[in-house]
Amino acid sequence: MGDPALKTIEQIQENAIAPVSALRRWLVGAGAVAIGLVGCNQPIELRAQEQRPFTPSRHLAQRSTNADVDALVKLGPRVAGTPVMEQASGYLVEEFRKAGYVATIQPFTYTKYVDQGSTLTVSGATLKGQALRGASSGTQTGRLIAVPGVGRAQDFATVTVKGAIAVVLRGEIPFTEKVQNAADAGAIGVVIVNNQAGNVAGVLTRESTIPVLALSQEQGKALLERSPQPTTATLTVNAGRRTITGRNVVAHLAGVTQPKVLLGGHYDSVAGSPGANDNASGTAVVLAIARDLARTTAARQTWFVAFDGEEDGLHGSRAFVQSASPAFLKGLKGMLNFDMVGVNDQLRANGSAELTQLVRLADSNTTTSGNAGGSSDHASFAAAGVPVLFFHRGLEPNYHSPNDKTIRPNLLDETTQTALEVVKQLAIAP
Ligand code: BES
Ligand code: ZN
């Protein structure tokens, strides 16, 4: 049965001394103890967990692949609203069911900004750029004026962009501010040139009234260096809105309607990227925790959600939160989100003081901080007042690229073990 080499490793591990985390060591024989948190009024109760053999999956570092990550990556880029997501969600439903859970698909819809081909034509050459999400569509022809600096209001005082297309460098201030300053100065269009190699996938937090196009550093360098003699250029933003149907996968044991813990990770990826680390890695950790918990009473306190539409702006998690009752959200002691946990050695957990304290007790090697930020699905829960914990391992070179093809399975195992300790503590909290 199975791979004989793997079986040998398991046998070796069964005889080895199981690794014991600081929290587990501390709990042995300690019973229930209350710890007062520094700078926090409410003590956290830490309780002895039900005893069962420890599975040392943290030591399965020898494995070179993770079956769940492989299965998801093999499907190709998992872009929300595409047929690939029917296959990916089907795979996840099946895996949760195999682990003993009731798994369903929660559909939701949102409108997506789609760039249908946006360009800048200058001196007879047409450059293909990226419309900033939220930029208005249209074609404008006018003088092309390089604005010194990054497009602060004072930068526009040094040049005349009235009736012209303004070229500014990316960075330092938000895209929306650059565009507003250009429009205030009378520009009819804006070109933003990347300040580093590659393309820009920019988002305007307020829809613009003028077309805005991003160019790569390579494409735009010459435009910024252009001598003061103005050149005429044509800027075209050709974008539209499409209604997307996303599919969250929601799993829990039959009859569990009010969990204390919700574990989540997004399973969609950006166009063109296989999304191994972002975020088949987090999805695989949620599945691994579900399989492990299935044999414990903690499973009766837990829900698991694989979110869709994250890359388009946290749509799946927002839809889940919007569909949940206030009582359901109030009953959650923690939402644990896993996003990009398969590359980089250092595991990080950001979130509420109570939850990061549990992480430090579970594993002193995980770095913690109080600010979970807004870059992933936990933010939708934090906005609804749910305490959150964001597990990740920071940025890496293959982020959002076609090269995001592999993860290190031992890093998933390590994340799973640390998070499991936290989940079990939350599940037995009063
Ligand atoms: N996986 C990222 C978030 C992330 C970034 C996790 C760096 C760990 C390290 C996520 O899928 C993403 O790309 N988020 C967007 C914002 C979101 C609101 C669309 C981002 O960070 O730009
Ligand atoms: Zn991403």
Side-chain angles (χ1 to χ4, degrees):
M1 207 186 74
D3 180 351
L6 193 60
K7 208 168 171 191
T8 312
I9 294 165
E10 280 166 356
Q11 280 159 357
I12 292 166
Q13 283 170 341
E14 257 163 42
N15 298 328
I17 299 167
V20 182
S21 74
L23 174 58
R24 189 175 289 274
R25 261 197 311 269
W26 184 81
L27 282 169
V28 172
V33 185
I35 306 178
L37 289 178
V38 182
C40 172
N41 303 331
Q42 277 187 326
I44 304 184
E45 287 258 298
L46 283 179
R47 286 160 181 259
Q49 298 160 8
E50 64 191 273
Q51 294 298 306
R52 76 187 172 89
F54 184 62
T55 316
S57 53
R58 188 178 282 199
H59 277 216
L60 285 175
Q62 294 87 343
R63 273 195 296 143
S64 60
T65 60
N66 174 286
D68 296 314
V69 172
D70 281 357
L72 291 171
V73 165
K74 237 182 249 156
L75 300 174
R78 300 178 302 281
V79 179
T82 66
V84 170
M85 290 309 266
E86 287 168 37
Q87 292 172 266
S89 59
Y91 172 81
L92 296 173
V93 164
E94 189 57 27
E95 290 306 308
F96 279 118
R97 287 184 184 162
K98 276 195 236 164
Y101 295 90
V102 174
T104 51
I105 287 175
Q106 177 190 39
F108 59 92
T109 56
Y110 60 95
T111 53
K112 180 176 179 168
Y113 184 88
V114 187
D115 184 358
Q116 285 148 347
S118 301
T119 55
L120 180 75
T121 302
V122 54
S123 311
T126 296
L127 305 168
K128 191 184 171 314
Q130 290 81 43
L132 261 68
R133 193 193 298 170
S136 73
S137 285
T139 295
Q140 297 282 17
T141 297
R143 289 168 302 126
L144 194 68
I145 304 289
V147 178
V150 292
R152 290 195 169 87
Q154 62 263 36
D155 299 332
F156 285 94
T158 64
V159 282
T160 304
V161 296
K162 197 165 170 46
I165 298 165
V167 187
V168 299
L169 188 65
R170 181 191 182 191
E172 294 180 34
I173 59 169
F175 293 125
T176 315
E177 216 173 300
K178 295 172 197 273
V179 173
Q180 189 59 52
N181 292 339
D184 289 348
I188 55 169
V190 180
V191 175
I192 296 175
V193 177
N194 202 354
N195 55 356
Q196 49 194 264
N199 292 332
V200 187
V203 180
L204 296 172
T205 51
R206 219 176 24 248
E207 288 191 15
S208 71
T209 50
I210 53 177
V212 185
L213 185 76
L215 293 179
S216 71
Q217 191 175 46
E218 303 73 45
Q219 289 173 314
K221 208 165 169 274
L223 302 181
L224 277 171
E225 285 165 358
R226 192 166 285 279
S227 61
Q229 288 86 22
T231 315
T232 299
T234 298
L235 171 61
T236 297
V237 167
N238 176 18
R241 292 190 187 272
R242 199 157 74 81
T243 300
I244 302 285
T245 299
R247 306 156 75 88
N248 290 337
V249 177
V250 182
H252 52 77
L253 287 185
V256 174
T257 53
Q258 179 59 69
K260 287 186 190 155
V261 191
L262 189 141
L263 303 178
H266 74 90
Y267 72 104
D268 63 313
S269 68
V270 294
S273 173
N277 192 34
D278 186 8
N279 183 34
S281 68
T283 310
V285 165
V286 173
L287 270 175
I289 296 174
R291 291 184 188 114
D292 195 295
L293 280 186
R295 292 169 276 139
T296 75
T297 52
R300 299 212 68 78
Q301 306 296 342
T302 315
W303 274 35
F304 309 88
V305 187
F307 296 109
D308 193 0
E310 191 268 359
E311 297 290 5
D312 289 335
L314 315 182
H315 290 284
S317 50
R318 205 174 303 120
F320 182 93
V321 167
Q322 276 166 7
S323 72
S325 72
F328 178 94
L329 296 172
K330 205 153 179 266
L332 292 176
K333 294 191 180 300
M335 186 279 174
L336 276 54
N337 181 34
F338 302 86
D339 194 352
M340 294 174 64
V341 289
V343 174
N344 292 339
D345 288 339
Q346 184 60 59
L347 179 61
R348 299 156 199 272
N350 309 341
S352 77
E354 288 81 358
L355 295 175
T356 54
Q357 169 80 345
L358 287 179
V359 173
R360 287 191 295 277
L361 290 166
D363 176 18
S364 58
N365 292 324
T366 302
T367 58
T368 57
S369 100
N371 185 6
S375 68
S376 187
D377 290 311
H378 56 273
S380 304
F381 290 79
V386 176
V388 301
L389 194 53
F390 173 31
F391 283 96
H392 68 98
R393 292 178 187 271
L395 282 175
E396 44 102 359
N398 297 329
Y399 172 60
H400 284 187
S401 91
N403 296 327
D404 181 8
K405 289 190 275 206
T406 53
I407 53 92
R408 280 163 50 206
N410 63 315
L411 299 180
L412 303 192
D413 294 338
E414 184 190 88
T415 312
T416 301
Q417 294 306 323
T418 301
L420 261 170
E421 302 273 2
V422 176
V423 174
K424 288 175 183 175
Q425 283 303 321
L426 288 172
I428 55 177

